[in-house]
Amino acid sequence: QLQLPVKSADSKSKKDSGRKQESVSGKTRLASELSGNEDIYLRTVWTRSYHLVSEIYRIVGDEKIMGSEKMSQATAVKFRKALLKKEHLESFNVLGTGRSGRAQCDVVTEKAGMGKVKHPRGNHLHSFWINRIAEGYLRKGAKVKIGETISGHEVDIGVEIEDKKLGIEVVITGLVIENIPKNLEYYDEMLILCIDNAMKKKITKQIAGLDEEIRKRVTIELLKNYFIPL
């Protein structure tokens, strides 16, 4: 699986106010702050960036993956709630700010002490979708590059598949429309994926102002139609 976050490594054991710390996958954090099962759940989220909560529940309940650390969904729900309360996890809806429902994704916070997570392409929501879209094309056998530089600016995802070059923009808050003609000097086509119908309508209206030959090579869709389960 393609993973976006770049996590800082710190394998040295440290002390904080005289309390013992433990190393988890090359990271250090306070051992006394979490129970054993909370620790297991937190490590699972940390090592599987940008999975839905439902996917994490499935993973921690899989004996082939977790072995003796396997836990029921009820247990996983309990420890997730505890980690959210301690602010070691934060949650967001992958369908956008203000949305409710089951499409939730958790990320480990810096308060958990497991290292910093940088976002190469914006915030958690943007990074989630770039990860999922890129993963989908990787599974199709495509060559994928995140943050491909074209004419002095970056395109979210560059894809080469079946002798065709495709540029993909993940649009959460807006798009620099003036870059589209520049992108199409390199790509055969552009795919613009919007967070919701309102954004799709806005981008469609903006694209309508471009030359017809440019418009023919641009496809505008909703992100949720390109979701890839992990």
Side-chain angles (χ1 to χ4, degrees):
Q1 180 205 351
L2 185 68
Q3 295 291 342
L4 280 176
V6 179
K7 301 175 181 177
S8 63
D10 181 7
S11 59
K12 293 182 179 180
S13 177
K14 300 178 180 179
K15 291 185 178 180
D16 179 50
S17 301
R19 290 177 292 178
K20 182 182 178 182
Q21 291 184 327
E22 64 179 352
S23 176
V24 181
S25 300
K27 316 297 184 295
T28 58
R29 62 178 183 76
L30 295 173
S32 60
E33 292 184 358
L34 300 179
S35 70
N37 282 328
E38 287 174 350
D39 174 79
I40 293 166
Y41 192 92
L42 187 68
R43 282 189 285 115
T44 303
V45 176
W46 173 258
T47 56
R48 291 168 173 83
S49 303
Y50 299 118
H51 280 57
L52 293 179
V53 172
S54 58
E55 293 169 337
I56 295 295
Y57 289 163
R58 174 178 51 79
I59 290 168
V60 298
D62 190 332
E63 188 172 1
K64 292 181 179 179
I65 298 174
M66 303 300 293
S68 61
E69 296 180 338
K70 171 188 173 183
M71 64 182 74
S72 68
Q73 181 167 324
T75 300
V77 169
K78 173 184 175 181
F79 292 116
R80 174 179 179 260
K81 288 181 178 179
L83 290 165
L84 287 168
K85 186 175 182 179
K86 293 176 181 179
E87 299 181 347
H88 287 183
L89 291 178
E90 63 178 82
S91 185
F92 65 95
N93 192 297
V94 303
L95 297 180
T97 304
R99 295 295 189 93
S100 59
R102 301 174 62 184
Q104 299 291 322
C105 177
D106 292 340
V107 290
V108 178
T109 67
E110 290 188 19
K111 188 173 181 179
M114 296 182 72
K116 293 183 178 180
V117 178
K118 299 179 181 180
H119 307 290
R121 303 298 300 162
N123 58 23
H124 287 308
L125 182 58
H126 199 183
S127 294
F128 172 89
W129 280 109
I130 291 174
N131 189 64
R132 288 304 174 106
I133 302 305
E135 177 67 23
Y137 280 96
L138 284 172
R139 291 183 182 186
K140 294 178 181 179
K143 294 181 180 179
V144 177
K145 184 175 182 179
I146 291 174
E148 187 162 48
T149 301
I150 303 297
S151 300
H153 64 275
E154 285 193 346
V155 175
D156 284 335
I157 309 169
V159 173
E160 289 187 36
I161 186 168
E162 297 178 353
D163 298 322
K164 181 173 72 174
K165 292 181 178 179
L166 175 67
I168 303 174
E169 293 284 17
V170 172
V171 183
I172 307 298
T173 59
L175 180 67
V176 181
I177 300 299
E178 293 76 11
N179 287 337
I180 299 298
K182 299 176 185 177
N183 296 342
L184 289 171
E185 292 176 5
Y186 178 78
Y187 297 114
D188 298 305
E189 297 177 12
M190 286 294 301
L191 175 61
I192 301 175
L193 300 176
C194 302
I195 188 63
D196 54 28
N197 282 310
M199 183 57 67
K200 182 181 178 183
K201 184 177 180 180
K202 177 182 177 180
I203 298 299
T204 299
K205 184 177 180 180
Q206 292 175 329
I207 294 293
L210 299 177
D211 292 341
E212 183 179 0
E213 290 304 310
I214 296 294
R215 296 199 306 269
K216 289 179 180 178
R217 296 164 61 193
V218 177
T219 301
I220 306 170
E221 295 281 359
L222 290 173
L223 274 166
K224 66 180 182 180
N225 295 335
Y226 282 73
F227 177 78
I228 300 296
L230 298 179

